[in-house]
Amino acid sequence: MANNFNAMPGLLKMLTAMGFGMLAWVVASVFSGGLSIFGQNVSTSDWWESGAGFLCLPAALLMAGSAILMLCRSRYGRPAHIAGWVAINMAVFIGIKRIGIHSSMFIPAMSFNAALIVGISLYLYLSKSIRNYFLAVTD
């Protein structure tokens, strides 16, 4: 897998690392003193008791799984990664609503994340270097 990671285009390496990072973020939210969401502090207990943490956990596992699939050059890596992005964003926004955070940033943040997911999807499927990475034979 180290050889595959080294063979990845730079941005794909970052997306793969982010897949593992999402899982680390959810695990860290258990032990942290709280989160700051749209400038409002949310305690760890509120985050998990509201169910927001439990919504994010499967999405983060999907993101980490997609990172492993991309490291293995699996054809399922790209769609799993896109599904992970959609799932983690939905989980966070549903969690924010469950906690009761009302923010003027909610709609712009959702719009930005939707555009980000479209951009990542286009990159994963239209980039020639990514297509070559997934078509290359592994050692």
Side-chain angles (χ1 to χ4, degrees):
M1 276 202 237
N3 289 339
N4 286 347
F5 184 78
N6 290 332
M8 286 180 170
L11 190 54
L12 185 59
K13 286 180 185 177
M14 184 183 78
L15 291 173
T16 301
M18 288 175 77
F20 291 118
M22 293 291 180
L23 184 59
W25 173 75
V26 171
V27 171
S29 74
V30 174
F31 304 106
S32 69
L35 305 166
S36 178
I37 301 171
F38 297 134
Q40 298 180 35
N41 291 326
V42 177
S43 70
T44 301
S45 60
D46 286 344
W47 180 251
W48 284 92
E49 288 172 8
S50 71
F54 293 108
L55 284 170
C56 290
L57 184 59
L61 288 169
L62 178 58
M63 287 291 287
S66 75
I68 292 168
L69 290 171
M70 287 196 292
L71 284 170
C72 294
R73 296 184 188 214
S74 169
R75 66 180 177 167
Y76 302 110
R78 291 181 286 180
H81 195 76
I82 294 165
W85 272 103
V86 170
I88 199 77
N89 280 290
M90 289 177 60
V92 168
F93 287 117
I94 291 169
I96 288 169
K97 287 294 191 184
R98 280 189 174 184
I99 292 170
I101 292 177
H102 301 287
S103 174
S104 61
M105 292 300 298
F106 189 75
I107 298 297
M110 285 184 66
S111 300
F112 172 79
N113 283 320
L116 180 67
I117 292 166
V118 169
I120 289 169
S121 301
L122 291 172
Y123 171 68
L124 288 175
Y125 282 98
L126 298 181
S127 169
K128 185 177 179 180
S129 60
I130 298 230
R131 281 195 309 265
N132 290 339
Y133 168 78
F134 281 103
L135 292 175
V137 177
T138 58
D139 295 319

